[in-house]
C-alpha cells in the first residue's frame, strides 16, 4: 500500500485498541489515545525503510536516505543468508527483513528500552521521529517536496514537546499500563509495523510476515489473501475503499474509546 493508506490504517488500529480498552473497563487517558494514534500512524510507514523511494527515506533528509541504504543492504544480506530452496533469488532487500513480525517486536522493544532509560530527551526524539512520519503519511501531498521539510520538522517538534508535557501531567498517561514511565511507547510502534505488513499482504506481492518461521520450502513465504482478492498499491481499491474505511473505523473507534455515544 501507499503511505497515506498505511498511516491511516495505523491510526485506526490504535484507536481500535483504545475502543477495546474502554469496552474492557480500562479506558486510555485521552493523551495516550492521541499520542498512540499519531505514533502508530508514523510507525506504519517505518517498515519501508528498506526502499529508497519510500516516504520514510526522504522524511529526514540525507540522514534517512543514508539509513535507508544501510537497512536495504542489511535486509538483502539476511534474505540471501536465510533463504530456503523454495525462496526465489532476488536482488535488493525491499519487503524482506523489515516486513516481518520479528522486526516489529524488536523495534518496539528497543523503543521501550530507549524511552525508559534515556529520559525526557529520548522520549522527545521518539515522538519527534514519529510525528514527522505521521505528518508525511497523513498529509502526504501537502508535505511532499524539500521546501516543506522544515515546516514539517517544526510542526513535529512542537507537537512532540506539547504531547510530552501533556503526558507528564499526573493521570495523563506517562505511566499508562506499566509502572515505568513511557514503557508503553513501544506498543504503538509494534502495532504500526504489523499493520503495515498486513496491508502489504493484501497487495499482489504479499508479505513475508512469518519469517523466520518456514512454510513448506520457503522461509520468506509471501503471506497474503487469495490472489484474486489482491490489488496493486495505489489502485482504486486502496484509495476509494480501504482509505475511507480506515477513516470511518478510526472515527467510530475514537468515539468509543472516549466513551461518546
Amino acid at each position: 500500500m501507499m503511505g497515506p493508506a498505511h498511516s491511516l490504517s495505523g491510526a485506526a488500529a490504535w484507536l481500535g485498541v483504545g475502543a477495546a480498552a474502554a469496552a474492557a473497563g480500562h479506558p486510555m487517558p485521552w493523551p495516550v489515545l492521541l499520542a498512540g494514534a499519531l505514533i502508530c500512524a508514523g510507525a506504519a510507514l517505518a517498515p519501508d525503510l528498506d526502499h529508497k523511494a519510500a516516504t520514510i527515506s526522504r522524511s529526514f533528509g540525507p540522514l534517512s536516505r543514508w539509513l535507508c541504504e544501510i537497512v536495504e543492504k542489511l535486509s538483502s544480506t539476511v534474505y540471501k543468508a536465510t533463504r530456503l530452496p523454495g525462496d526465489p533469488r532476488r536482488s535488493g532487500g525491499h519487503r524482506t527483513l523489515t516486513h516481518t513480525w520479528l522486526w516489529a517486536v524488536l523495534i518496539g522493544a528497543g523503543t521501550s528500552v530507549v524511552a525508559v532509560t534515556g529520559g525526557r530527551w529520548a522520549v522527545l526524539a521518539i515522538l519527534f521521529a514519529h510525528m514527522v512520519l505521521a505528518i508525511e503519511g497523513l498529509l502526504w501531498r501537502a508535505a511532499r517536496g524539500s521546501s516543506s521539510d522544515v515546516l514539517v520538522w517544526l510542526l513535529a517538534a512542537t507537537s512532540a514537546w506539547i504531547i510530552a508535557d501533556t503526558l507528564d501531567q499526573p493521570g495523563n498517561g506517562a505511566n499508562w499500563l506499566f509502572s515505568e514511565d513511557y514503557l508503553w511507547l513501544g506498543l504503538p510502534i509494534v502495532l504500526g509495523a504489523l499493520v503495515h505488513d498486513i496491508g502489504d499482504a493484501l497487495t499482489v506481492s504479499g508479505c513475508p510476515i512469518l519469517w523466520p518461521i518456514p512454510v513448506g520450502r520457503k522461509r520468506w513465504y509471501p503471506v497474503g489473501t487469495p490472489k484474486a482478492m489482491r490489488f496493486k498499491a495505489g489502485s482504486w481499491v486502496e484509495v476509494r475503499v480501504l482509505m475511507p474505511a480506515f477513516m470511518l473505523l478510526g472515527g467510530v473507534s475514537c468515539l468509543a474509546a472516549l466513551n461518546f455515544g
Side-chain angles (χ1 to χ4, degrees):
M1 291 197 297
M2 303 295 286
H6 278 311
S7 286
L8 282 172
S9 67
W14 185 260
L15 293 171
V17 171
H26 300 286
M28 291 180 185
W30 70 264
V32 173
L33 187 70
L34 172 62
L38 290 172
I39 293 169
C40 202
L45 294 180
D48 277 343
L49 191 57
D50 62 2
H51 187 19
K52 60 184 178 182
T55 300
I56 188 174
S57 69
R58 58 173 177 76
S59 295
F60 302 94
L63 175 62
S64 54
R65 289 193 291 273
W66 171 75
L67 186 58
C68 174
E69 291 181 5
I70 292 176
V71 172
E72 192 277 332
K73 290 177 182 177
L74 171 64
S75 299
S76 180
T77 300
V78 172
Y79 180 87
K80 292 175 181 177
T82 62
R83 61 182 289 269
L84 293 179
D87 293 309
R89 294 184 180 276
R90 57 177 296 171
S91 59
H94 182 46
R95 284 200 185 184
T96 55
L97 180 61
T98 62
H99 288 67
T100 65
W101 70 269
L102 183 58
W103 177 272
V105 171
L106 291 176
I107 291 297
T111 299
S112 289
V113 171
V114 170
V116 170
T117 60
R120 179 175 176 81
W121 287 107
V123 170
L124 286 171
I126 293 167
L127 289 173
F128 169 74
H130 288 87
M131 293 306 106
V132 169
L133 294 177
I135 294 167
E136 292 276 4
L138 297 173
L139 302 178
W140 191 54
R141 295 195 183 280
R144 292 178 76 87
S146 58
S147 60
S148 63
D149 284 348
V150 174
L151 292 177
V152 170
W153 297 339
L154 287 173
L155 178 58
T158 303
S159 301
W161 194 276
I162 292 172
I163 289 172
D165 276 350
T166 303
L167 287 168
D168 282 338
Q169 298 300 314
N172 275 2
N175 62 349
W176 174 72
L177 198 60
F178 303 103
S179 58
E180 292 284 349
D181 284 357
Y182 294 110
L183 184 59
W184 63 270
L185 278 186
L187 297 179
I189 292 173
V190 173
L191 181 60
L194 292 177
V195 167
H196 177 110
D197 297 344
I198 293 170
D200 279 354
L202 300 176
T203 64
V204 293
S205 299
C207 187
I209 304 172
L210 298 178
W211 183 89
I213 301 170
V215 178
R217 299 175 66 249
K218 295 183 178 181
R219 194 181 300 279
W220 297 90
Y221 183 82
V223 175
T225 54
K227 290 187 177 181
M229 298 175 61
R230 300 187 193 185
F231 56 87
K232 292 183 178 180
S235 70
W236 67 270
V237 176
E238 179 179 331
V239 176
R240 298 181 184 177
V241 178
L242 292 182
M243 288 177 63
F246 294 149
M247 287 188 276
L248 178 61
L249 290 172
V252 171
S253 295
C254 182
L255 294 175
L258 296 174
N259 288 316
F260 283 108

